[in-house]
Amino acid sequence: MLNVHGLSIAFQGTYLFENISFKIVPGNRVGLIGKNGAGKSTLLKLLSKEMEADSGQMAADKTLKVGFLKQDIDFEYGQTVLEESYKAFSEIKEIEKQLSDINHELAEREDYESDSYEQLMVDLNELQHTYEILGGYSYQGDTEKILMGLGFERSDFNKQTDTFSGGWRMRIELAKLLLQKNDLLLLDEPTNHLDIESILWLEGFLNNFSGAVVLVSHDTMFLDNVTNRTIEISLGSIYDYNKPYTKFLELRKEMKTQQLAAQKNQEKQIQQTEKLIEKFRAKASKASMAQSLIKKLDRMDRIEVDEEDNSVMTVQFPVKVPPGKVILELEAVSKFYGELEVLRSVSMLIARGSKIAFVGQNGQGKSTLAKIMVGELEHGGSLKLGHNVQIGYFAQNQADYLDGNKTVLDTMIDAANESNRSKVRDILGAFLFRGETVDKYVKVLSGGERNRLALAKLLLQPLNVLIMDEPTNHLDIKSKNVLKEALRAFQGTLVLVSHDREFLQGLTNVVYEFKDKKIKEYLGDIDFYLEHRRLNNLREAEQRSTSKSKNIKSHSNKSSYENQKRLKSLNNKLSKVERQINDLESSIKEDDVQLETNYDETAANPDFFNSYQEKKTQLDQLMMEWEELQTCIDELSI
């Protein structure tokens, strides 16, 4: 599939990585890991041929199709969600245009016996055949299925993309990649903007993907659930193991222990040989033996222990002023964005020392409530801050507020006051900005480095309450673990908005789920919440299954034969519905062409629009019937 040999790339005279080689084959799901700035995103750009390496070669199959999801995407506005998603099918859309042109020409011509007319019919037949092979009659249904898997509702499909947040626009880009039927997917931080439910869906999709995947992620649980191979970039080299992340760590530790033991034994052997050389040198009769031992040492391959980059940031959030017992009280808080209601009559009391997690699908109001708490948004209802409350707020896009034209040091100095300006360099050092790196401009920093700088700025203000919205986005795994320990040790009150299950584990003791404009409290950690949700889903599935089985047969214990019989019947119905959908879509397209080519005559026919609308309504009903049948088939196939 893809063979990388001797790849090297350097920036400003320093190698990110040098002379690295590896192969990607179908079925590989590679977790690409390493510190912020190690070169993970750069390697993905090289694999996608967005960048050229300084040296080395990449050989790929001629037919290899590569899809690349970047951290930062260029998005075209003025499109609906469906229109933007359909860009995944550029070949199909081009054939649709050609079919439309041919149908338009055929409608205008009357030279039915001519060779050119016959050629048009031949072209039309060939194009329709190609269109069918490429999935022209099913791509719309596939698109809707993927979008709904990523959390979109049907009501979102015809909304303009610029009405969605950056996270939702990233989902559209991800949907396009998943629809393109690529052979190799390159995913740079795909979970950064996804909620827990969408991450679980993406895990299932990638585990069933027949091609290869190379992904950068700092969500260790996601890596463990999806990958079967790990490549670590460290100090310019790579370490490649056919294991998911956690097993890779264990294997890497075991191999380093073996290397150290072998190196120690070799050192003993070398010391003994050197002693013999010194002993034999003094005697003329033993001089030849001494020379032989010297040559033996020169020929010896010295065992080297793999270097590790163990530098990590040091974070502490000190509480200088203790607050009162009640930190914050919300009563009947509501929020509208224009006509869109996000929160409805939400009430909450946060006591001193609480450790709270906000979870739920994107767009349910988590970030909105966090902004209301820190006074960034106007709202309905009341909000009262407690005595001596000092809030430190880390926004989801906190790094975007940094001035790219300032250096790291100037960013911190400008944010400091008289009492802590002298500590700026110490704080930067704790966040791994040392030596010449403090003179780097913010615009050249990686996403993770910018997040570290934003966290460092947070320490320059007094706080006894931390409200953090997705603080782990772009942080490497080691930095994320350090931040987690700092928050675990934090003596103040903590409110965390996060989709990172592993990060939340052991960090909070109350979970608020945001759903349908309301919040629901779970008095336990994230594992308690997820287990509770899983049990609820099973009950719901069981109830659905029971009610369906009653409609099918009076008794519930169906034999395997009866089950297969039912499955066959459902598949036959599904095929019939799919044929009806294809026929209707073709008929609607013909009506569209007729409207486009001869609007005045068509519009004069009063029955045309009634028939046109009936077809649209029937298509919607068939799509719903298709979904119900597919759900039944999925349940019977388990």
Side-chain angles (χ1 to χ4, degrees), residues 341-607:
E341 185 182 23
V342 179
L343 296 171
R344 180 188 301 154
S345 194
V346 169
S347 298
M348 178 192 300
L349 188 144
I350 298 177
R352 181 178 60 205
S354 297
K355 308 290 184 184
I356 296 169
F358 284 178
V359 301
Q361 285 190 331
N362 287 18
Q364 294 292 334
K366 303 185 301 293
S367 297
T368 296
L369 188 58
K371 289 176 182 176
I372 287 172
M373 287 176 169
V374 298
E376 279 199 4
L377 290 177
E378 294 182 358
H379 57 88
S382 66
L383 181 152
K384 295 178 186 175
L385 278 183
H387 179 63
N388 278 345
V389 170
Q390 298 173 330
I391 296 178
Y393 175 52
F394 187 92
Q396 185 175 152
N397 59 339
Q398 190 74 39
D400 295 343
Y401 293 113
L402 301 172
D403 187 342
N405 294 316
K406 285 184 180 179
T407 65
V408 170
L409 183 59
D410 287 341
T411 298
M412 289 291 284
I413 288 174
D414 291 348
N417 54 42
E418 290 299 325
S419 65
N420 56 27
R421 192 163 284 124
S422 61
K423 299 177 183 176
V424 160
R425 282 187 178 271
D426 291 336
I427 294 172
L428 283 174
F431 283 81
L432 302 183
F433 294 107
R434 298 162 186 158
E436 294 179 359
T437 57
V438 301
D439 297 319
K440 277 186 176 181
Y441 283 97
V442 171
K443 61 187 174 186
V444 303
L445 299 179
S446 70
E449 288 170 325
R450 287 198 297 270
N451 254 27
R452 289 210 312 264
L453 181 56
L455 282 169
K457 269 186 73 180
L458 193 59
L459 293 186
L460 295 173
Q461 66 181 88
L463 54 87
N464 49 34
V465 176
L466 269 174
I467 297 178
M468 308 188 86
D469 192 354
E470 303 289 6
T472 62
N473 278 0
H474 305 298
L475 283 184
D476 61 60
I477 292 169
K478 287 182 179 178
S479 297
K480 189 178 77 171
N481 290 338
V482 171
L483 176 61
K484 180 173 179 175
E485 289 307 311
L487 294 177
R488 204 196 301 270
F490 179 53
Q491 297 297 309
T493 304
L494 177 65
V495 177
L496 269 177
V497 181
S498 180
H499 63 258
D500 190 328
R501 297 162 288 173
E502 189 273 336
F503 182 72
L504 288 174
Q505 282 175 328
L507 204 50
T508 61
N509 50 30
V510 180
V511 175
Y512 283 99
E513 181 188 37
F514 286 65
K515 193 173 184 181
D516 299 329
K517 308 173 187 62
K518 298 282 190 178
I519 62 172
K520 184 176 180 180
E521 184 182 48
Y522 293 82
L523 296 175
D525 64 5
I526 190 65
D527 289 332
F528 172 82
Y529 161 74
L530 287 174
E531 181 68 13
H532 195 82
R533 282 296 312 275
R534 187 179 70 84
L535 288 172
N536 278 344
N537 288 342
L538 282 174
R539 286 195 202 102
E540 290 164 9
E542 193 175 46
Q543 287 166 0
R544 286 198 300 269
S545 177
T546 302
S547 64
K548 284 176 183 172
S549 65
K550 282 180 180 177
N551 292 333
I552 296 166
K553 283 195 173 184
S554 59
H555 59 85
S556 59
N557 295 324
K558 293 177 290 191
S559 68
S560 175
Y561 172 77
E562 290 168 336
N563 199 31
Q564 290 299 318
K565 191 176 176 183
R566 173 65 179 158
L567 196 58
K568 185 177 179 181
S569 172
L570 286 170
N571 276 313
N572 288 337
K573 286 181 182 178
L574 187 72
S575 298
K576 183 180 178 182
V577 169
E578 284 176 346
R579 285 195 299 272
Q580 289 175 319
I581 288 171
N582 289 338
D583 292 343
L584 265 177
E585 284 179 339
S586 298
S587 179
I588 290 170
K589 280 189 181 296
E590 289 174 6
D591 289 348
D592 288 337
V593 170
Q594 191 173 339
L595 272 172
E596 188 179 332
T597 56
N598 201 355
Y599 179 82
D600 291 338
E601 187 178 330
T602 304
N605 180 1
D607 295 329

Side-chain angles (χ1 to χ4, degrees), residues 75-76 79-81 84 159-164 169 172:
F75 219 87
E76 182 182 337
Q79 304 277 318
T80 67
V81 171
E84 185 63 38
K159 291 180 182 175
Q160 296 287 306
T161 56
D162 52 352
T163 63
F164 292 88
R169 293 201 295 271
I172 300 171

Side-chain angles (χ1 to χ4, degrees), residues 151-329:
F152 288 93
E153 301 287 342
R154 283 193 176 278
S155 56
D156 296 327
F157 291 168
N158 293 313
K159 291 180 182 175
Q160 296 287 306
T161 56
D162 52 352
T163 63
F164 292 88
S165 67
W168 283 98
R169 293 201 295 271
M170 183 70 83
R171 292 187 193 207
I172 300 171
E173 198 67 17
L174 180 58
K176 286 158 63 178
L177 284 184
L178 301 183
L179 287 162
Q180 281 169 352
K181 297 181 181 174
N182 293 294
D183 305 304
L184 173 61
L185 289 178
L186 307 175
L187 309 177
D188 197 354
E189 299 284 9
T191 64
N192 267 359
H193 300 284
L194 300 184
D195 52 52
I196 289 173
E197 291 184 14
S198 296
I199 291 172
L200 292 172
W201 181 89
L202 180 60
E203 284 178 1
F205 184 94
L206 293 178
N207 282 325
N208 291 315
F209 180 60
S210 59
V213 180
V214 180
L215 66 93
V216 175
S217 179
H218 302 133
D219 183 338
T220 55
M221 195 174 288
F222 181 72
L223 286 170
D224 280 340
N225 290 344
V226 170
T227 63
N228 54 21
R229 179 178 169 191
T230 301
I231 295 178
E232 179 186 26
I233 303 177
S234 179
L235 301 173
S237 300
I238 64 166
Y239 301 91
D240 188 354
Y241 297 96
N242 288 321
K243 300 286 181 185
Y245 177 72
T246 300
K247 289 183 179 176
F248 155 79
L249 286 184
E250 294 169 2
L251 189 61
R252 187 102 149 76
K253 186 179 179 181
E254 186 182 316
M255 290 188 71
K256 187 172 181 183
T257 302
Q258 291 172 356
Q259 285 178 335
L260 285 167
Q263 188 187 55
K264 192 175 180 180
N265 289 333
Q266 189 183 61
E267 284 297 326
K268 280 183 184 178
Q269 187 183 346
I270 290 169
Q271 287 170 11
Q272 289 171 354
T273 306
E274 287 174 341
K275 283 179 183 177
L276 286 173
I277 291 169
E278 289 301 317
K279 184 179 177 182
F280 293 155
R281 248 185 198 149
K283 298 178 183 178
S285 61
K286 303 286 187 181
S288 61
M289 191 176 288
Q291 287 300 316
S292 176
L293 290 171
I294 289 169
K295 287 178 182 176
K296 180 183 175 183
L297 279 183
D298 289 341
R299 288 195 303 269
M300 186 181 287
D301 289 330
R302 302 295 174 105
I303 295 171
E304 294 183 1
V305 177
D306 293 339
E307 287 186 80
E308 283 191 64
D309 189 350
N310 289 315
S311 54
V312 292
M313 63 183 188
T314 309
V315 189
Q316 285 182 320
F317 296 102
V319 175
K320 293 182 179 177
V321 179
K325 287 185 179 181
V326 175
I327 297 297
L328 190 143
E329 189 174 0

